[in-house]
Every structure is written in C-alpha cells, then in structure tokens.
C-alpha cells in the first residue's frame, strides 16, 4: 500500500505500537492533536456545530408545540435505520435522531478535513470513529428504538424474552451476532447440488467436473477458480442462484476448484504452491478431460488475481512454456491486481497490523477464517452487524435462511506462509502491478498477458473497488471487455437473470489505458444481468457445439460425487 505524505506532516503518535496494532487510538489522537494546533479553524468548526445544534433544538421546540417546521438534520433517504415513521412524526424520537446525525456527521467531516497528517491515518481514524458512531446509533438500543418498544407491547414482552434467548445463544457460541442458523442449509442437499464428480484431488484442492444438462456442449471447457479464503460453492448456491448451473444449462462444460481447508500442517504452503500446484494442475486436468489444447479460466476475487499471476508466469517462461499455457482467454470477477487503493479494507493494513497478524499466524500455522469474516463485517457494520442485533435481539425475530449468508459464515483458514506473502507483497508493497514480483523463479509482467479478458466489477464493492478492478484492463497486453454491475462484491456477481430485471450494468470494450469515470460516463447502462452478456462473449470463443466429454478419463478418473469432501471440512 503506497502511503502518501502530506505537504506539511506533523509529528504524531507512532502507528506501530504493539498495544495498538490497528492504529485505532494512535490515528484518533493524531487527528485530535492536528486540530489543537489550529485553534482558529477548530473554533470556527465548533461555532458551525453550535449553530446547527440550535436549529435542532428549535425544531424540537416547534414540533413539541405542534408548530410545523422543516427537519433540521434529515436522514439520508437510503438509511434503513430511520425508516420508521416515528423518527419523523414523534418529536422526541426526531430530536434524538437529529442530535445523533448532527454530531456524527460533524465528527466525520472534521476528521476528513484534518490537515497536517498522513491521508492514510486520516482515513483510518475516520473508519474507526465510524465504527463507534454506528455502534451508538439510537436504533441499536431497546428504549430508543420505536419498533422494538412497539413489538414488546404487542407481544406482551415475549419479544424481549426471545431476544434474550438469541443473545444467550450467540454468547455461548462465542459469536459476535449470528446472521444465519448453522443448520439452515445442507451442502449437497440445498446448496452445491449441481451433479458432478471430483476428478482431481491433491493437497491443495479438488477439481469438480459437472455433468452436462444439454445434448451438445461447447468444445472448450470453463474452469471456475473461486478464492481460497471462502468455500467454492458461492458459484453453486441454491439452484436459482447457481452460476455453475446457469452455464451448464446453456451448453458449457464446467469445472470448479474446491480448495482444501488447511490446518497447522499446511503452515509452509506458499502462494507459489497455490498457483503452480493448485490452479495450474486444475487447468491442465480440464484441458485433458475436454480433449482440447486450452480452456477458458474464470477467477472470482482472489481467484482472478491468481489467474492473472499464473498467466503472467507462463508468459515469462520459454517459448515452450508459453505454448503450454492452458488458458485461451479468461474472466476476472471483482479482481484486484493493483492494491494501491484496496478500499475500506485498507484501514486494517499497515506494517504494525501485519506484524500483529504474522505473530498470530506463526503461532497457529494459519489465519482463522473467522478473523477475516469479522473484519469484512466491520466494513459494513450497519448491514452485517447492527441489523442483526436489532432484528434478533431487540425484535426477537428468528433468523431468515439466506444461502449467501450461509456461505459467508462458512469460513476457511489461510496457511501462514501463503497469507504472509500475499499481504506483504501484494497489499503492502503492491509488487504485482509494479512488475517486480517473482513467483517460481520468474518475474511477473501483467503486460505480457495477451489472452482476451472479460472483467467484471461491482459498483458498491467495498472489498475490491470497481475503479481498481477496472485498471486490470489497461495493464494487460490483450483485448478486454469490462462490465460494471450494480450492487456489491457478492450480489454484483451472483446476479442471475430474473423477470422483471432487478439490476443493471454498464458494459463495453476497454483495451489499453482508460479512465474509469470517463468510461462509465460514456457507456450506456443496460437492464438485466451481465450473465447474459458474458454467455454471449463465451459462445463466440468456446468453440462449436459437440457431444459432451465423459466425466473424467483414464488419467483423471472420477473419485466421488460432487460436492466432494474438501468443502465439508471445518
């Protein structure tokens, strides 16, 4: 991660304290000290705050007397916390809401306009203060949540009892707050149900080949490479949301990698192992079973980053290596290769936080997936934490089944050596895009990748910002087509066509350097799912229709039925 230096940096508390590895206290104190050095600006800001507070008090007084007046501090229209009519109609709740919004917005705006500290620390301070502000929202407490009070009265207090039972359940399980019941779905019965066979298994992954559903299929297989920080069945959720089933039903032969959930015995597994002993054998097996010289490879999130590195690795070899490249063309879904701006997850990334995580991984041999899952929840706390606190604890509601949330909670571990290299060399040092990353004795150059690319970003993605995923198209040496889907990191990708259409997307060719904002401004927005556009792109490149290949062959015999055994490991 490339830290920018302000024109007049001021001395501040070190962000490398072992007692504060994520720079929570240090960044906040740095902001405070910067403002104390500018008393005139601080006084002007406080004066503006006092004037706004007077407007809130005036609105409260008028509304209490029944005198109509405009809201002093209206909530954002999409803020789900304040949709209840009581937050507008009841003077007390209106006052509480406006005081909370006033001071919260002032505090965030003040942090973002702080001068004299590094921008990375300023953003980090804003991130952690926002966590606190979201936590103390009046909607998160029983006596200041009008709907919670209403339900308690209507249920004669039972909603309080149910909520307490839910809290005790989560506390006994050691969970932050549960989003979905752990037995809401069963793999192979409800999720990951597309028929297929495991045709390859090694110490890193299983490769699943799916059974065809059509009499004829495209000659070139598709190999799906999901990230190893999650289970593979994000690609094969319930039948209505299954990308695997969608492709099969449209005449494609589909393979998918299912990564092993590593334990301490895998502590020495490296990123090089994942590429050359994981992704590469999977592509070669699909090529051999399909009886074709090359395949289409599609990577999701880190899976796309792995494909970019592997294709660059082949390109950096000899003529024979380049000829042996099993990838004819590829797709990269919400994929980062330039980590200079990793989005909100950058709040967790610094040398001190890296050393903290490294020590934990050295002791355990891995990073527990629950740690990653909790960090990702902090990126969207109102949706992924406090929503469930309100509905489960304050309202006493049962958790609704959700295939996406079930998958999201089904975490995996990351081997210490691999994750240490990944965090340091990609996120912190950003060496891949700089062209000075070595894998397997070869220097990787993204510009040497000439295979056509279909890239997808998501407009509200907080893990892989779409402007950064867009950059991939200009960094490679081949032609590219880019899709910007509405929604976020998961729902922007798991986006099956429905009638009437729920979502929209921008799509167009992007070959060579191009400005992301200018591209979106000049590109017409289409209605529906980008899956349909992708299938059209694939049909042009995956060859003619022919009888489907068998499930496995003599070199890669079928081992067991999908979803296999690795996905079941806890």
């Amino acid at each position: 991660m490339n830290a920018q230096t302000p024109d007049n940096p001021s001395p501040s508390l070190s962000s490398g304290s072992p007692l504060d590895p994520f720079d929570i206290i240090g960044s906040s104190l740095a902001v405070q000290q910067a403002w104390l050095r500018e008393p005139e600006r601080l006084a002007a800001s406080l004066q503006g705050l006092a004037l706004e507070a007077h407007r809130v008090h005036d609105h409260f007084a008028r509304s209490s007397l029944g005198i109509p007046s405009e809201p002093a501090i209206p909530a954002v229209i999409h803020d789900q916390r304040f949709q209840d009519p009581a937050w507008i109609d009841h003077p007390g709740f209106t006052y509480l809401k406006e005081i909370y919004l006033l001071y919260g917005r002032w505090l965030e705006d003040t942090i973002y306009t702080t001068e004299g500290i590094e921008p990375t620390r300023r953003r980090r301070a804003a991130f952690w203060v926002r966590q606190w502000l979201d936590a103390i929202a009046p909607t998160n407490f029983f006596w200041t949540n009008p709907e919670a009070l209403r339900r308690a009265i209507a249920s004669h207090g039972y909603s309080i009892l149910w909520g307490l039972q839910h809290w005790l359940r989560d506390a006994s399980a050691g969970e932050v707050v549960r989003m979905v019941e752990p037995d809401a779905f069963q793999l192979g019965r409800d999720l990951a149900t597309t028929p297929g066979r495991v045709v390859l298994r090694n110490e890193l992954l299983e490769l699943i080949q799916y059974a065809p559903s059509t009499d004829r299929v495209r000659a070139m297989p598709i190999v799906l490479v999901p990230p190893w920080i999650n289970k593979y069945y994000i690609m094969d959720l319930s039948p209505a949301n299954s990308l695997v089933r969608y492709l099969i039903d449209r005449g494609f032969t589909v393979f998918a990698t299912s990564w092993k959930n590593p334990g301490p015995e895998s502590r020495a597994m490296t990123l090089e192992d994942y590429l050359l002993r994981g992704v590469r054998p999977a592509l070669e097996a699909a090529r051999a079973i399909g009886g074709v010289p090359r395949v289409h490879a599609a990577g999701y999130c880190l899976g796309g980053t792995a494909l970019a590195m592997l294709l660059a690795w082949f390109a950096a070899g000899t003529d024979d290596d380049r000829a042996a490249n099993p990838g004819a063309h590829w797709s990269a879904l919400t994929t980062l290769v330039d980590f200079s701006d990793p989005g909100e997850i950058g709040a967790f990334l610094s040398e001190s936080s890296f050393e903290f995580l490294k020590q934990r991984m050295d002791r355990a041999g891995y990073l527990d997936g629950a740690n990653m899952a909790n960090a990702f929840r902090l990126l969207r706390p109102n949706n992924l934490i406090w929503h469930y606190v309100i509905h489960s604890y304050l309202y006493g509601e049962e958790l609704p089944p959700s295939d996406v949330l079930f998958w999201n909670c089904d975490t995996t571990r990351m081997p210490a050596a691999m994750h240490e290299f990944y965090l340091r060399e990609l996120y912190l040092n950003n060496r891949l895009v700089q062209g000075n990353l070595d894998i397997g004795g070869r220097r990787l150059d993204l510009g040497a990748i000439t295979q056509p690319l279909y890239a997808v970003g998501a407009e509200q993605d907080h893990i892989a910002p779409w402007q950064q995923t867009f950059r991939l198209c200009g960094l490679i040496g081949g032609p590219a087509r880019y899709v910007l889907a509405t929604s976020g990191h998961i729902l922007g990708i798991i986006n099956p066509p429905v009638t009437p259409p729920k979502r929209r997307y921008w799509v167009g060719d992007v070959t060579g350097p191009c400005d992301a904002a200018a591209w979106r401004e000049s590109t017409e927005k289409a209605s529906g799912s980008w899956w349909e556009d992708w299938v059209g792109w694939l049909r042009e490149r995956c060859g003619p229709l022919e009888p489907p290949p068998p499930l496995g062959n003599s070199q890669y015999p079928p081992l067991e039925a999908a979803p296999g055994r690795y996905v079941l490991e806890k």
Side-chain angles (χ1 to χ4, degrees), residues 237-279:
L237 292 169
S238 56
N241 289 333
S242 172
L243 177 60
V244 169
R245 193 177 295 266
Y246 181 83
L247 291 171
I248 289 171
D249 289 345
R250 277 142 193 85
F252 293 97
T253 297
V254 178
F255 294 79
T257 60
S258 175
W259 297 98
K260 183 174 176 58
N261 196 358
E265 74 283 352
S266 301
R267 65 169 60 241
M269 285 287 184
T270 64
L271 182 60
E272 178 179 318
D273 292 328
Y274 271 75
L275 298 180
L276 303 184
R277 295 165 55 192
V279 180

Side-chain angles (χ1 to χ4, degrees), residues 368-381:
D368 196 299
N371 299 135
M372 290 281 288
N374 289 334
F376 286 139
R377 291 180 74 176
L378 287 175
L379 301 182
R380 288 293 182 269

